[in-house]
Amino acid sequence: MTLKVTRPGLYTTVQDLGRFGHQSEGFSPAGAMDYRALMLANQLLGNEENAPGIEMTFKGATFEVVKDTVVATAGADMKMKIDDDHHPAGVPVHVAKGSTIEFGAAENGSRTYLVVPGGFKVETVLGSASTHVRSGIGGYKGRPFQVGDVLHAGAAGSATPYRIKDFDDGDGMVRVIPGQQFDRFDDDMKQQFFSASYALTKDCDRMGFRLDGPELVATPGHDVLSEPTQLGSIQVPKGGRPIVLLNDRQTAGGYARIGTVARVDIPKFVQKQPGDMVKFIEITVEEASTLHRDEMERIRSGGYLEINNAFRSHGRPVARKVARIMKR
């Protein structure tokens, strides 16, 4: 065993990059909401990009370290304290047996990812370790963490001499592809959708984010025959307030879809908190595809990493082992 949960936080689960190919059977993909943060945290430890990590939402968890290991975090600024020492996000940190890792409330974002060498060792279901709470599958017993849960690392501890570069996702611009029922909205509605700002409401979770702003009206109506859903689909129900469908979404939906959030902007979008404002910008499918391809290349080539000149962990040196991804 490596970590024991002593305080589970607000909503803490095990996630990898998702469970794909099973929507026709009623299983949504689940997976890390901010896929980029999970991939970057895994890079810091030389893990495979899909290695399971812990996703903490709004308020972090507290863990007892049962076995010496190395941890890395990425995502929202969720203050991490190991015993009495504070540690920044985005760097590998050695933790000794008997230590306590404590995370605070999220700042400048909403979700933080914690990884260990080799990823957390949990049973996979339909090819993924991701927790899908509504189905009760994946992760740790198919549910959020509870006090006393014990997690195992998948490999012996090691770290890399890198840190995640500072970058700014703070703007409220979210790029959108026209949706399946885009032409159900007249020109005035389309102009309103792309010119107005929308606020995230308190009704935001892993299924989707409900937005508040100017009402959108579809013609001849909002109801359509149920169709498969996809990540980032922007449904407009009868109330006229958009809902952006996310990782734990229903697998089919029957509301008009005005657009789909470009996958490249999903990490930025899901890190927003209730009350934050977003403004949508129209792009083409071709532009969205190119942007996503370029982003994945930047992630996988180490473009978000830089040498950590203060390569120290918990007050002791750590072996300078170069991440496997930097050799590719």
Side-chain angles (χ1 to χ4, degrees):
M1 64 179 69
T2 300
L3 299 180
K4 182 177 181 180
V5 178
T6 58
R7 182 172 59 86
L10 187 61
Y11 195 90
T12 306
T13 59
V14 174
Q15 301 291 340
D16 57 19
L17 294 180
R19 179 176 293 105
F20 298 99
H22 298 282
Q23 282 201 192
S24 62
E25 302 160 41
F27 296 101
S28 53
M33 296 274 276
D34 183 347
Y35 64 83
R36 178 179 61 189
L38 178 63
M39 293 173 73
L40 293 178
N42 275 322
Q43 282 187 349
L44 292 174
L45 299 187
N47 291 343
E48 297 297 324
E49 64 182 32
N50 194 41
I54 291 174
E55 179 183 270
M56 296 176 284
T57 305
F58 293 130
K59 184 177 181 181
T62 300
F63 305 91
E64 175 189 348
V65 181
V66 185
K67 180 181 179 181
D68 287 7
T69 190
V70 181
V71 299
T73 60
D77 184 8
M78 193 176 281
K79 302 300 185 186
M80 179 174 70
K81 186 168 70 170
I82 301 175
D83 296 332
D84 295 325
D85 298 327
H86 290 273
H87 292 266
V91 296
V93 181
H94 182 273
V95 288
K97 178 181 178 180
S99 297
T100 297
I101 307 175
E102 180 180 357
F103 290 89
E107 302 174 15
N108 301 320
S110 58
R111 290 168 173 82
T112 294
Y113 296 84
L114 170 69
V115 302
V116 294
F120 287 100
K121 191 175 180 181
V122 295
E123 184 179 0
T124 60
V125 179
L126 300 176
S128 172
S130 287
T131 310
H132 188 259
V133 173
R134 291 177 183 272
S135 302
I137 63 172
Y140 192 93
K141 299 182 180 180
R143 58 166 172 76
F145 289 154
Q146 298 176 5
V147 174
D149 290 345
V150 174
L151 296 145
H152 299 258
S158 61
T160 69
Y162 296 100
R163 65 182 296 273
I164 299 172
K165 295 178 181 178
D166 293 332
F167 59 91
D168 185 12
D169 273 343
D171 67 82
M173 302 298 183
V174 175
R175 289 165 285 195
V176 168
I177 307 160
Q180 292 92 322
Q181 287 80 39
F182 188 63
D183 50 5
R184 279 205 178 202
F185 298 85
D186 64 26
D187 289 344
D188 288 342
M189 288 293 103
K190 293 173 184 175
Q191 182 179 4
Q192 176 176 280
F193 178 67
F194 289 116
S195 62
S197 294
Y198 287 85
L200 273 69
T201 71
K202 61 180 180 60
D203 296 321
C204 292
D205 58 22
R206 286 184 51 88
M207 283 193 68
F209 286 7
R210 187 180 294 271
L211 308 180
D212 190 23
E215 179 181 350
L216 297 170
V217 178
T219 304
H222 293 270
D223 292 337
V224 298
L225 291 175
S226 288
E227 298 176 349
T229 61
Q230 62 195 85
L231 180 66
S233 283
I234 305 173
Q235 289 188 337
V236 182
K238 293 178 181 178
R241 301 296 192 268
I243 301 171
V244 183
L245 303 183
L246 296 169
N247 299 58
D248 288 2
R249 63 193 180 273
Q250 68 274 23
T251 57
Y255 292 126
R257 279 165 277 187
I258 193 170
T260 302
V261 174
R263 187 167 175 80
V264 69
D265 280 350
I266 290 290
K268 173 169 68 173
F269 181 69
V270 300
Q271 287 291 359
K272 295 190 177 299
Q273 296 190 358
D276 287 349
M277 305 296 293
V278 295
K279 188 178 178 65
F280 296 115
I281 301 172
E282 182 180 358
I283 62 172
T284 66
V285 171
E286 293 74 20
E287 288 171 325
S289 178
T290 299
L291 287 166
H292 182 244
R293 184 174 61 249
D294 292 347
E295 175 73 342
M296 295 304 289
E297 173 62 23
R298 181 182 180 188
I299 294 171
R300 288 169 172 159
S301 67
Y304 280 103
L305 302 185
E306 63 186 6
I307 292 293
N308 179 18
N309 293 322
F311 192 51
R312 293 291 185 270
S313 293
H314 207 43
R316 69 190 73 178
V318 178
R320 290 177 175 265
K321 180 179 179 182
V322 178
R324 290 196 300 270
I325 60 99
M326 299 298 284
K327 296 180 181 178
R328 295 174 184 172

